[in-house]
Amino acid sequence: MEAFDLGMITLTRKPTGARTSSMSLPEAVAWFAGEHHSDRPRCLSPVLHAAITVLGDRLAHPRLQQLKWLVPSLVGTAEDGRDSVRSLLAVDWLVRVYTPAWLRVVPSLDLAAASLAEHAPISSVADAADALDAPLAAVRRAAWAAQVAVPGVLGGANAADTPDTTDTPDPHRQAATVSLALSALACDAAVAATLDVAPGFLPVCGKLRLAAEQAVLIAARQLAGSPDPDDFGARVAALMAPTADALDDAVIELLARLIDATAPPGQGWLAGDPVDAVKRYDGD
């Protein structure tokens, strides 16, 4: 293939062995830049490469095809000196968009979610840690009130203190189900984009992910259903679907801003992202 035409290519989830009309997003960037066929183009920022690799692997096919129009703007980002800014924008998005979106599945955590969504822009890892302190405490309280605190997680009891009966659902298995479901989502591209600040951000990222897991676990355990693990997995999937769908759109918008390394205007992410439109958990 010689001439590059965005309209004729189909983006694939995985790298391809040869240059055809089907290729991964990084391979499309390499082609547009005139490089040899590769899923690691020299012209692409490492932070953006990490983000688009996750997006390419996890977005549904129709949404994935939207990303091909970003190919020209991805070229030439490798040496632009903006990766530290990009990573902090991703941290800001994770604190002020991702985390409140999941807290909102539990109505009693609305205020905690709002405190994050309406927080001033996060400009450092230390800012992120400070912003999360009070909301994480609220999640712990909600977990204990709902009697679904996972042993060892966000202040949960030790395993030895947890009743062990055949009639009680295994909290570890349920927590693992939620964790795996969250880990399969495209919005993890934002986590990948924190590459430039990863060593310092990793502990904070772990806390916000645990908060999201605990919120989903609370909401799922409050839904009616049998203790069967398969039934619980189906409940988790149905509960998460509206928020996950909204965050798919939001993370695509985030990618566009990461490319330009520009923060959202006005009220910030809250003004443009669909978080407020996410369907909330309704126990009735």
Side-chain angles (χ1 to χ4, degrees), residues 99-100 102-106 108-113 115-116 131-150 153-156 206-219 222:
T99 305
W102 292 115
L103 297 191
R104 286 191 182 105
V105 301
V106 180
S108 65
L109 293 175
D110 276 356
L111 288 179
S115 74
L116 290 174
L132 287 165
D133 275 348
L136 291 181
V139 173
R140 286 193 293 270
R141 291 193 297 270
W144 281 113
Q147 296 184 334
V148 297
V150 178
V153 174
L154 289 179
K207 289 180 180 179
L208 67 83
R209 171 56 68 85
L210 286 174
E213 292 177 5
Q214 192 79 325
V216 173
L217 184 61
I218 293 168
Q222 289 175 343

Side-chain angles (χ1 to χ4, degrees), residues 51-73:
I52 67 174
T53 298
V54 175
L55 283 177
D57 188 52
R58 300 184 187 179
L59 280 176
H61 183 78
R63 278 194 172 103
L64 177 57
Q65 303 316 305
Q66 297 175 25
L67 302 188
K68 62 187 176 183
W69 306 109
L70 297 175
V71 166
S73 58

Side-chain angles (χ1 to χ4, degrees), residues 147-224:
Q147 296 184 334
V148 297
V150 178
V153 174
L154 289 179
N158 292 325
D161 300 326
T162 304
D164 182 15
T165 68
T166 56
D167 295 330
T168 302
D170 183 347
H172 292 287
R173 175 174 288 187
Q174 292 187 339
T177 297
V178 172
S179 180
L180 287 172
L182 283 170
S183 297
L185 300 179
C187 48
D188 259 10
V191 176
T194 66
L195 178 66
D196 209 60
V197 296
F201 182 60
L202 186 60
V204 180
C205 187
K207 289 180 180 179
L208 67 83
R209 171 56 68 85
L210 286 174
E213 292 177 5
Q214 192 79 325
V216 173
L217 184 61
I218 293 168
R221 287 280 296 275
Q222 289 175 343
L223 290 171

